[in-house]
Amino acid sequence: MQTLANFGDGGPGPWILFFPLIWALVIGGGIALLRRIVWRSRRGGPWRQSTVENDSPIAVLGHRFASGEIDEDEYWRRLSVLNEEFGRSAKGGGASTY
């Protein structure tokens, strides 16, 4: 610590404390950038489109059934109406889309 006080005599002076701070900021910024990139790639960005349409009426019905909003009888009743409109068989195509 005495070399910091005697920076006029050839010591590094108080500026030596500045360099570890710069390295800490660079490393911390790199870690934050990598975490943000990895987080966005896992979550998916606006350029990615899902392979399953979550907005389809049959998918919404499946989500409601899975969350317990509707019971099994109401699910099958509504699914049969949707299948008539979309042309799928009631037991085959629509049951496994949620």
Side-chain angles (χ1 to χ4, degrees), residues 2-25:
Q2 191 167 354
T3 59
L4 291 177
N6 297 328
F7 66 93
D9 295 334
W15 293 105
I16 197 165
L17 299 175
F18 186 64
F19 293 109
L21 180 65
I22 289 176
W23 278 111
L25 289 174

Side-chain angles (χ1 to χ4, degrees), residues 60-61 63-71 74:
V60 171
L61 182 66
H63 287 294
R64 289 185 65 196
F65 177 65
S67 68
E69 287 183 43
I70 58 175
D71 61 350
E74 186 175 355

Side-chain angles (χ1 to χ4, degrees), residues 35-79:
R35 286 184 65 189
R36 185 174 178 117
I37 290 171
V38 169
W39 179 67
R40 273 202 180 169
S41 67
R42 286 184 185 164
R43 183 181 56 138
W47 58 89
R48 290 188 177 199
Q49 295 194 6
S50 63
T51 56
V52 177
E53 291 184 30
N54 290 329
D55 297 343
S56 72
I58 295 176
V60 171
L61 182 66
H63 287 294
R64 289 185 65 196
F65 177 65
S67 68
E69 287 183 43
I70 58 175
D71 61 350
E72 186 177 1
D73 293 331
E74 186 175 355
Y75 171 76
W76 287 113
R77 197 167 12 97
R78 291 183 181 206
L79 184 63

